[in-house]
Amino acid sequence: MKISNSKELFAKAQNFIPGGVNSPVRAFRSVGGEPLFIKKAEGAYLYDEDGNQFIELINSWGPMLLGHNHPKVKAAVIAAMEDGTSFGAPTAREVEIAELIVSMVPSIEKVRMVNSGTEATMSAIRVARGFTGRDKFIKMEGHYHGHGDSFLIAAGSGAMTMGDPDSPGVTKGTAKDTLIAPYNNLEAIEELIKANQGEIAALILEPVPGNMGLCLPKEGYLQGLRDICTREGIVLIFDEVMTGFRLAKGGAQEVYGVTPDMTTLGKIIGGGMPVGAYGGKRE
């Protein structure tokens, strides 16, 4: 297999891009070797700059549910481009997609569009804080919610421990409001709430996490979180950037029959285009 063009591009990229890539996950360091530079994709296949063909098993990290360059998606993108790319004003299309999302996702009564899943999760936490008047939130060990400062926090030695920054540039001031709990452990959630009574605005999790490996929720776990959050006035947020429109039309919340207060969505709603959304109950 020839990979000379990819090697040349990677060497050149390192002169202008930190590490030669625009996301650490693309650097190949965890698996060895150097990244391949992709030229095009079609259906279930990727083609690199040297003309090699590969079976695509990642679907661009999830959004390409219909495969790459699907004819209907491609036609819709081209049709939209004919009218221009950005207006800084409302459009009929955003009303149409908002109505469609509300009709499909059980928890969403109103929705706001953003540019990425990261923006969706950051915004959802901000809304939860504004709604409750509280500052802290709970996230689960190993769950990924984008690269917002508040989410780049590693767990301490136990559920009672405040988070410590997991990435340079994240301040301890930011980290102190992020509380960490192990997934599938309701007792740890109760301990955190007891230690931070009346201070927790939100609890966010991937209902079915994928970045830590596929881990299914234990029977009764999601409903247990729903019951606790309802009791304590905590906003329950399902990050369905990965699970939305995949596990079911309405995501994991449809499959498990548990309705969160808010839901975050990612690029899948735009056929892989840079878009995201967050929504929830009207109030």
Side-chain angles (χ1 to χ4, degrees), residues 59-82:
N59 292 330
S60 190
W61 306 102
M64 298 306 184
L65 186 65
L66 304 177
H68 289 278
N69 211 19
H70 189 281
K72 288 188 177 181
V73 175
K74 183 177 180 179
V77 171
I78 292 173
M81 291 287 289
E82 293 288 347

mmCIF file of all heavy atoms in Angstrom, residues 59-82:
data_model
loop_
_atom_site.group_PDB
_atom_site.id
_atom_site.type_symbol
_atom_site.label_atom_id
_atom_site.label_comp_id
_atom_site.label_asym_id
_atom_site.label_seq_id
_atom_site.Cartn_x
_atom_site.Cartn_y
_atom_site.Cartn_z
ATOM 1 N N ASN A 59 -17.753 6.049 10.375
ATOM 2 C CA ASN A 59 -18.776 6.979 9.875
ATOM 3 C C ASN A 59 -18.522 8.414 10.330
ATOM 4 O O ASN A 59 -19.422 9.090 10.831
ATOM 5 C CB ASN A 59 -20.177 6.522 10.301
ATOM 6 C CG ASN A 59 -20.606 5.237 9.627
ATOM 7 O OD1 ASN A 59 -20.190 4.953 8.507
ATOM 8 N ND2 ASN A 59 -21.408 4.439 10.302
ATOM 9 N N SER A 60 -17.262 8.853 10.153
ATOM 10 C CA SER A 60 -16.870 10.202 10.542
ATOM 11 C C SER A 60 -17.208 10.462 12.012
ATOM 12 O O SER A 60 -17.700 11.523 12.373
ATOM 13 C CB SER A 60 -17.535 11.257 9.647
ATOM 14 O OG SER A 60 -16.978 12.523 9.891
ATOM 15 N N TRP A 61 -16.944 9.448 12.845
ATOM 16 C CA TRP A 61 -17.234 9.498 14.284
ATOM 17 C C TRP A 61 -18.730 9.586 14.564
ATOM 18 O O TRP A 61 -19.156 10.102 15.581
ATOM 19 C CB TRP A 61 -16.461 10.628 14.973
ATOM 20 C CG TRP A 61 -14.983 10.531 14.710
ATOM 21 C CD1 TRP A 61 -14.266 11.289 13.813
ATOM 22 C CD2 TRP A 61 -14.068 9.587 15.244
ATOM 23 N NE1 TRP A 61 -12.960 10.883 13.781
ATOM 24 C CE2 TRP A 61 -12.804 9.835 14.658
ATOM 25 C CE3 TRP A 61 -14.164 8.573 16.170
ATOM 26 C CZ2 TRP A 61 -11.654 9.097 14.965
ATOM 27 C CZ3 TRP A 61 -13.020 7.842 16.485
ATOM 28 C CH2 TRP A 61 -11.802 8.102 15.881
ATOM 29 N N GLY A 62 -19.539 9.079 13.641
ATOM 30 C CA GLY A 62 -20.947 8.931 13.939
ATOM 31 C C GLY A 62 -21.951 9.586 13.025
ATOM 32 O O GLY A 62 -22.998 9.003 12.735
ATOM 33 N N PRO A 63 -21.707 10.805 12.531
ATOM 34 C CA PRO A 63 -22.767 11.524 11.810
ATOM 35 C C PRO A 63 -23.223 10.883 10.505
ATOM 36 O O PRO A 63 -24.353 11.113 10.078
ATOM 37 C CB PRO A 63 -22.136 12.897 11.524
ATOM 38 C CG PRO A 63 -21.065 13.049 12.541
ATOM 39 C CD PRO A 63 -20.540 11.676 12.766
ATOM 40 N N MET A 64 -22.352 10.120 9.848
ATOM 41 C CA MET A 64 -22.685 9.606 8.520
ATOM 42 C C MET A 64 -23.488 8.309 8.607
ATOM 43 O O MET A 64 -23.090 7.261 8.103
ATOM 44 C CB MET A 64 -21.407 9.387 7.714
ATOM 45 C CG MET A 64 -20.621 10.665 7.481
ATOM 46 S SD MET A 64 -21.621 11.952 6.722
ATOM 47 C CE MET A 64 -20.400 13.233 6.493
ATOM 48 N N LEU A 65 -24.652 8.420 9.209
ATOM 49 C CA LEU A 65 -25.508 7.253 9.396
ATOM 50 C C LEU A 65 -25.936 6.651 8.062
ATOM 51 O O LEU A 65 -26.139 5.445 7.942
ATOM 52 C CB LEU A 65 -26.750 7.658 10.207
ATOM 53 C CG LEU A 65 -27.697 6.550 10.620
ATOM 54 C CD1 LEU A 65 -27.024 5.600 11.593
ATOM 55 C CD2 LEU A 65 -28.951 7.131 11.259
ATOM 56 N N LEU A 66 -26.059 7.501 7.036
ATOM 57 C CA LEU A 66 -26.497 7.036 5.714
ATOM 58 C C LEU A 66 -25.325 6.699 4.805
ATOM 59 O O LEU A 66 -25.516 6.435 3.619
ATOM 60 C CB LEU A 66 -27.359 8.126 5.051
ATOM 61 C CG LEU A 66 -28.581 8.589 5.844
ATOM 62 C CD1 LEU A 66 -29.309 9.709 5.109
ATOM 63 C CD2 LEU A 66 -29.523 7.425 6.111
ATOM 64 N N GLY A 67 -24.117 6.705 5.352
ATOM 65 C CA GLY A 67 -22.939 6.525 4.526
ATOM 66 C C GLY A 67 -22.450 7.860 3.987
ATOM 67 O O GLY A 67 -23.099 8.894 4.149
ATOM 68 N N HIS A 68 -21.299 7.850 3.352
ATOM 69 C CA HIS A 68 -20.698 9.078 2.843
ATOM 70 C C HIS A 68 -21.293 9.497 1.505
ATOM 71 O O HIS A 68 -21.578 8.672 0.644
ATOM 72 C CB HIS A 68 -19.183 8.880 2.680
ATOM 73 C CG HIS A 68 -18.459 8.797 3.987
ATOM 74 N ND1 HIS A 68 -18.078 9.904 4.710
ATOM 75 C CD2 HIS A 68 -18.045 7.727 4.706
ATOM 76 C CE1 HIS A 68 -17.455 9.533 5.809
ATOM 77 N NE2 HIS A 68 -17.422 8.215 5.827
ATOM 78 N N ASN A 69 -21.461 10.815 1.374
ATOM 79 C CA ASN A 69 -21.878 11.407 0.096
ATOM 80 C C ASN A 69 -23.183 10.815 -0.415
ATOM 81 O O ASN A 69 -23.353 10.586 -1.621
ATOM 82 C CB ASN A 69 -20.766 11.207 -0.951
ATOM 83 C CG ASN A 69 -20.734 12.325 -1.971
ATOM 84 O OD1 ASN A 69 -21.267 13.411 -1.739
ATOM 85 N ND2 ASN A 69 -20.116 12.071 -3.106
ATOM 86 N N HIS A 70 -24.121 10.600 0.504
ATOM 87 C CA HIS A 70 -25.409 10.024 0.105
ATOM 88 C C HIS A 70 -26.086 10.946 -0.917
ATOM 89 O O HIS A 70 -26.113 12.166 -0.742
ATOM 90 C CB HIS A 70 -26.307 9.862 1.328
ATOM 91 C CG HIS A 70 -27.550 9.081 1.059
ATOM 92 N ND1 HIS A 70 -28.653 9.625 0.439
ATOM 93 C CD2 HIS A 70 -27.865 7.778 1.320
ATOM 94 C CE1 HIS A 70 -29.598 8.713 0.332
ATOM 95 N NE2 HIS A 70 -29.150 7.585 0.860
ATOM 96 N N PRO A 71 -26.629 10.389 -1.991
ATOM 97 C CA PRO A 71 -27.183 11.229 -3.066
ATOM 98 C C PRO A 71 -28.219 12.244 -2.595
ATOM 99 O O PRO A 71 -28.212 13.400 -3.033
ATOM 100 C CB PRO A 71 -27.798 10.193 -4.020
ATOM 101 C CG PRO A 71 -27.024 8.945 -3.781
ATOM 102 C CD PRO A 71 -26.665 8.950 -2.342
ATOM 103 N N LYS A 72 -29.107 11.851 -1.685
ATOM 104 C CA LYS A 72 -30.150 12.775 -1.226
ATOM 105 C C LYS A 72 -29.560 13.886 -0.359
ATOM 106 O O LYS A 72 -29.986 15.043 -0.445
ATOM 107 C CB LYS A 72 -31.231 12.016 -0.461
ATOM 108 C CG LYS A 72 -32.121 11.160 -1.352
ATOM 109 C CD LYS A 72 -33.295 10.566 -0.584
ATOM 110 C CE LYS A 72 -34.215 9.768 -1.500
ATOM 111 N NZ LYS A 72 -35.379 9.198 -0.768
ATOM 112 N N VAL A 73 -28.594 13.533 0.485
ATOM 113 C CA VAL A 73 -27.939 14.548 1.316
ATOM 114 C C VAL A 73 -27.149 15.516 0.435
ATOM 115 O O VAL A 73 -27.206 16.737 0.608
ATOM 116 C CB VAL A 73 -27.013 13.890 2.360
ATOM 117 C CG1 VAL A 73 -26.243 14.950 3.146
ATOM 118 C CG2 VAL A 73 -27.810 13.013 3.321
ATOM 119 N N LYS A 74 -26.422 14.953 -0.510
ATOM 120 C CA LYS A 74 -25.631 15.774 -1.437
ATOM 121 C C LYS A 74 -26.528 16.738 -2.209
ATOM 122 O O LYS A 74 -26.217 17.930 -2.352
ATOM 123 C CB LYS A 74 -24.871 14.865 -2.403
ATOM 124 C CG LYS A 74 -23.966 15.596 -3.373
ATOM 125 C CD LYS A 74 -23.215 14.578 -4.237
ATOM 126 C CE LYS A 74 -22.291 15.263 -5.224
ATOM 127 N NZ LYS A 74 -21.543 14.261 -6.045
ATOM 128 N N ALA A 75 -27.669 16.257 -2.687
ATOM 129 C CA ALA A 75 -28.590 17.101 -3.447
ATOM 130 C C ALA A 75 -29.146 18.222 -2.568
ATOM 131 O O ALA A 75 -29.287 19.366 -3.009
ATOM 132 C CB ALA A 75 -29.727 16.250 -4.011
ATOM 133 N N ALA A 76 -29.446 17.897 -1.309
ATOM 134 C CA ALA A 76 -29.990 18.907 -0.396
ATOM 135 C C ALA A 76 -28.955 19.983 -0.091
ATOM 136 O O ALA A 76 -29.285 21.179 -0.029
ATOM 137 C CB ALA A 76 -30.450 18.233 0.895
ATOM 138 N N VAL A 77 -27.690 19.577 0.089
ATOM 139 C CA VAL A 77 -26.618 20.540 0.361
ATOM 140 C C VAL A 77 -26.414 21.463 -0.838
ATOM 141 O O VAL A 77 -26.298 22.692 -0.692
ATOM 142 C CB VAL A 77 -25.308 19.809 0.711
ATOM 143 C CG1 VAL A 77 -24.139 20.797 0.776
ATOM 144 C CG2 VAL A 77 -25.444 19.075 2.042
ATOM 145 N N ILE A 78 -26.382 20.885 -2.034
ATOM 146 C CA ILE A 78 -26.190 21.686 -3.252
ATOM 147 C C ILE A 78 -27.350 22.669 -3.433
ATOM 148 O O ILE A 78 -27.150 23.843 -3.754
ATOM 149 C CB ILE A 78 -26.046 20.770 -4.480
ATOM 150 C CG1 ILE A 78 -24.720 19.997 -4.399
ATOM 151 C CG2 ILE A 78 -26.108 21.579 -5.768
ATOM 152 C CD1 ILE A 78 -24.551 18.932 -5.462
ATOM 153 N N ALA A 79 -28.569 22.199 -3.176
ATOM 154 C CA ALA A 79 -29.737 23.071 -3.312
ATOM 155 C C ALA A 79 -29.677 24.231 -2.333
ATOM 156 O O ALA A 79 -30.003 25.378 -2.675
ATOM 157 C CB ALA A 79 -31.015 22.263 -3.091
ATOM 158 N N ALA A 80 -29.234 23.949 -1.111
ATOM 159 C CA ALA A 80 -29.107 25.009 -0.107
ATOM 160 C C ALA A 80 -28.013 25.998 -0.490
ATOM 161 O O ALA A 80 -28.167 27.215 -0.315
ATOM 162 C CB ALA A 80 -28.806 24.392 1.262
ATOM 163 N N MET A 81 -26.921 25.502 -1.039
ATOM 164 C CA MET A 81 -25.801 26.357 -1.446
ATOM 165 C C MET A 81 -26.197 27.323 -2.547
ATOM 166 O O MET A 81 -25.652 28.433 -2.654
ATOM 167 C CB MET A 81 -24.627 25.498 -1.922
ATOM 168 C CG MET A 81 -23.946 24.710 -0.808
ATOM 169 S SD MET A 81 -22.950 25.763 0.255
ATOM 170 C CE MET A 81 -21.589 26.156 -0.835
ATOM 171 N N GLU A 82 -27.146 26.932 -3.356
ATOM 172 C CA GLU A 82 -27.609 27.805 -4.437
ATOM 173 C C GLU A 82 -28.184 29.116 -3.902
ATOM 174 O O GLU A 82 -28.162 30.139 -4.567
ATOM 175 C CB GLU A 82 -28.666 27.081 -5.278
ATOM 176 C CG GLU A 82 -28.145 25.884 -6.066
ATOM 177 C CD GLU A 82 -27.277 26.276 -7.255
ATOM 178 O OE1 GLU A 82 -27.278 27.476 -7.618
ATOM 179 O OE2 GLU A 82 -26.585 25.399 -7.804
#
